[in-house]
Structures are given as C-alpha cells and as structure tokens.
Amino acid sequence: MNKLGAIIAVAVCVLVLLNISTVFAFLFLLLKIALVVGLLALAGFLVFGFIEKPETRLPPAPTPKGEAPTEPVFEKPYFDAHEKGREGEEKVSAILQHMGWPALHNVILEDDRGLTEIDHLVKAPWGIVVIETKNYDGFISGSSTPGVWKQSFPNSSGVSYRLFMDPVHQNYRHVCAVKYLTEMENVQSVVVFAGRAYASPFVHHQVVRLKNLERVLRKRPESFAYVDKRELEKAWYILQQAYIANAGRAREHIDELRQRFS
C-alpha cells in the first residue's frame, strides 16, 4: 500500500507539473503574439505616418463664432512682394514650357469692368486656358461666406486663420475678360495649387495640384466642342496684342485694386 500511495503521489506531481508548464507555454505564446503585433503596428506608423495625405486629412476644429472678423480680410497680392506666389508661377511656367504650348504670363487685360491681371494664358489645341496659380501652405477650406475661402494654421493657442477671395471665383472674372475680348466660348478655367497646403474635399475638387497640371491640360473638357483653327489663331492674336498694349499698365491696375479694397 505504501508503494502504491507513493506511485499515486508521484503521478499527481507529474500531472501538476505538466499543467503548470502548459500554462506557462500558453502565456509565453500570447506574449510572443503581442510582441509581433506591437512591432507590426510600430512599423506601420513609421512607414505610413509620415506620408502626407492632403485629401484625407481631417480639417481643423471649427473656429468659434466670436473669433470671426466682421468683414473678410481679402488677400491683396499686389500690395506686398509675395515671393512665394512668384515661385508658384515659375513652377507653372516651367511645366508649360516643357509642354511646348504657346503661353503668356502676367497678362493685364481690360474689359467693360476695368483692368484685371491673369497669371497664365495658354493656347491649347481646343481653346484658351486661363490659369490662376496659388502657392499656399496650411489648411485651405471653404467658409460660411460665398466667394471666400479660409487658410488655417495651427499654433500654440489653437488655430489661427485668415480669409481670402475664392481663387475659382477670382479666375471666373479672368475667363469673362478673355471671352469679352476674343468672343470665344472655349475658355477653360484652371486653378493650380503649387504649394504644400492641405485642402478640404470642398476645395480639393475645384483645384489642380501642380503634379497633375500637365495631365489635366492635355485632356480636352468634354463640354468643349472642337474649335476652328482660324478662330483659335485669331483669338490668340487678340490676346497677344492686348498683352503688349497693356504691359505698362501695372501701376494703374494696382491703383484700381487699392480703391476696390480701401
């Protein structure tokens, strides 16, 4: 009986030890799984966390109503030397030169409303393209005021912002001036973002990123019919003559803007 009891006791001890080792093995397996998942998550953050995704980034928190100025503070590009704006225009000019399409830059036109300045005019095979270039940083979104967009920047106290004229609306004025002078209907408006700004979905669908400009220009708008070559040449000649005639009216145009924004 003593031997039988000893054998039973030894068997029980062995079973207990086996159960304990099984438990420890299971816990060790869970630890390894958790470690692998953690390393994969860290690698994913390092790889994808620094890739900018302007179109999917969430907009900043809405500005409290009390912070909005009584009237919009519009951008006045002619009153200060905007080096960044010129850099953006130079980038667009380089793309147009690479494409080999005839182009005019910084064109002042006069219509029944006065003078207006256009960043770039391009003669495409199917018509005239009017390009407005913006070289923004920060986050660009719409606002509660029609024809006004908002540029937001994070800072230590939250988010600062400024309001400026909607460049799509601004370029519509340029398109109207081109149509007024040339009497041509095939005039396309293109607003180019040449900077690093993020954009809300509302803004994103109305502008063209610099890297996509050539692809967009080479695609004829579906609503545009093919234009007669002689009509296109005539329109381009009119714009060339206006460009030459108004080259010295920059100061006059600035004075008009000062009166408009004063």
Side-chain angles (χ1 to χ4, degrees), residues 11-176:
V12 171
C13 290
V14 170
L15 290 174
V16 170
L17 290 174
L18 287 174
N19 287 336
I20 291 175
S21 63
T22 303
V23 170
F24 275 108
F26 179 71
L27 292 176
F28 184 66
L29 178 62
L30 289 180
L31 180 62
K32 288 196 294 185
I33 293 174
L35 182 61
V36 170
V37 171
L39 290 174
L40 289 175
L42 178 61
F45 174 78
L46 293 176
V47 172
F48 298 104
F50 296 101
I51 298 178
E52 294 184 352
K53 300 178 181 179
E55 287 70 49
T56 58
R57 177 169 293 196
L58 294 176
T63 306
K65 293 182 180 179
E67 292 185 14
T70 328
E71 298 210 352
V73 181
F74 290 115
E75 178 190 23
K76 302 173 184 179
Y78 301 92
F79 305 153
D80 301 299
H82 286 274
E83 188 64 31
K84 284 177 61 63
R86 286 196 292 269
E87 289 176 2
E89 292 176 14
E90 289 173 359
K91 293 176 182 178
V92 172
S93 298
I95 292 175
L96 298 177
Q97 184 177 7
H98 169 74
M99 293 177 64
W101 287 6
L104 301 172
H105 311 284
N106 300 319
V107 183
I108 296 178
L109 299 182
E110 183 176 16
D111 59 10
D112 57 341
R113 296 176 55 188
L115 297 175
T116 189
E117 185 171 11
I118 301 172
D119 290 340
H120 313 276
L121 286 176
V122 184
K123 186 177 76 168
W126 38 259
I128 305 297
V129 184
V130 182
I131 299 178
E132 177 69 20
T133 301
K134 297 298 182 184
N135 194 16
Y136 290 142
D137 290 324
F139 181 81
I140 310 298
S141 61
S143 73
S144 57
T145 305
V148 177
W149 286 1
K150 182 165 68 173
Q151 183 180 29
S152 305
F153 297 95
N155 55 33
S156 57
S157 60
V159 177
S160 61
Y161 74 95
R162 73 180 186 93
L163 301 177
F164 61 95
M165 184 181 295
D166 169 1
V168 176
H169 179 78
Q170 180 183 358
N171 209 36
Y172 176 75
R173 161 82 169 92
H174 301 157
V175 168
C176 290

